[in-house]
Amino acid sequence: LQQTKAVQRWRAQVQAQVIAKEIKGKDANPDLLAAYGGLMLDLGRCRRALSFLQRAQAMAPQNPTILNNLAWLYATSPPPYYHPDKALKLALKAAAKESRPYVLDTLAEAYYANGDYDEALQTIEQALAKNPQNRDYYLEQMKKFKKAVMEDKKAEALSPTAR
């Protein structure tokens, strides 16, 4: 029950309410702004997430968590928030500062969004080598990236210019 989407969404909503009260009327703390932005992203509220993550980044431009969350937003959100080039740039900066599995996952997703499936696969393998807690999620990511690599190779083989 704890792992169901409904419970996770409920938790995110409760956390967002608590943080929103904390942020209101105070000098904003970049960590709180980033946490709120991340929760808004989890809840699918991209515009609000982007606003808070950008505010947090302006206050702490080198914070790897903020860079990572902003990269994830750009790599996985629908238009007009989808910006694979920005995602990759931010994810590379975050990964240069922090190599935790979730940061590597974001970098892999950014490579994937940019069509660099081989790099995505290699990066998710690095994340898996760190024995992340939610291993099944990372294995699903790896499966997605492997499939993209295989489809890319098939398309290359069938391309008239490849001969």
Side-chain angles (χ1 to χ4, degrees):
L1 182 64
Q2 296 296 326
Q3 300 304 319
T4 64
K5 291 277 186 198
V7 169
Q8 290 174 352
R9 188 168 179 80
W10 175 78
R11 273 197 195 128
Q13 289 171 338
V14 169
Q15 290 171 334
Q17 289 173 352
V18 170
I19 293 172
K21 285 180 185 175
E22 210 39 52
I23 292 171
K24 205 172 205 174
K26 294 184 180 179
D27 287 335
N29 170 323
D31 293 327
L32 280 178
L33 292 174
Y36 188 75
L39 288 168
M40 291 296 100
L41 185 56
D42 288 345
L43 294 169
R45 299 178 64 189
C46 296
R47 185 178 65 189
R48 194 155 176 83
L50 179 61
S51 172
F52 279 88
L53 289 170
Q54 286 177 332
R55 282 177 54 197
Q57 185 190 24
M59 296 171 81
Q62 301 304 315
N63 181 309
T65 301
I66 296 169
L67 294 169
N68 183 72
N69 287 353
L70 202 46
W72 185 261
L73 183 147
Y74 288 137
T76 63
S77 296
Y81 309 102
Y82 182 71
H83 295 283
D85 52 333
K86 289 180 183 179
L88 185 56
K89 182 178 175 185
L90 292 167
L92 285 166
K93 283 175 82 171
K97 297 176 181 313
E98 178 69 59
S99 65
R100 290 188 182 169
Y102 74 93
V103 175
L104 294 174
D105 174 49
T106 299
L107 179 56
E109 192 69 35
Y111 280 129
Y112 178 80
N114 280 278
D116 195 343
Y117 307 131
D118 288 319
E119 282 295 326
L121 182 56
Q122 288 174 16
T123 305
I124 205 67
E125 287 171 348
Q126 290 173 15
L128 272 161
K130 294 179 178 283
N131 295 313
Q133 284 184 344
N134 190 358
R135 191 165 179 80
D136 289 343
Y137 165 79
Y138 290 86
L139 290 170
E140 283 301 312
Q141 287 287 84
M142 187 170 73
K143 190 187 306 183
K144 175 175 86 172
F145 301 147
K146 277 185 178 179
K147 181 179 177 187
V149 167
M150 296 303 290
E151 288 175 359
D152 203 32
K153 288 187 192 300
K154 277 185 193 175
E156 262 184 39
L158 295 174
S159 172
T161 58
R163 294 175 196 192

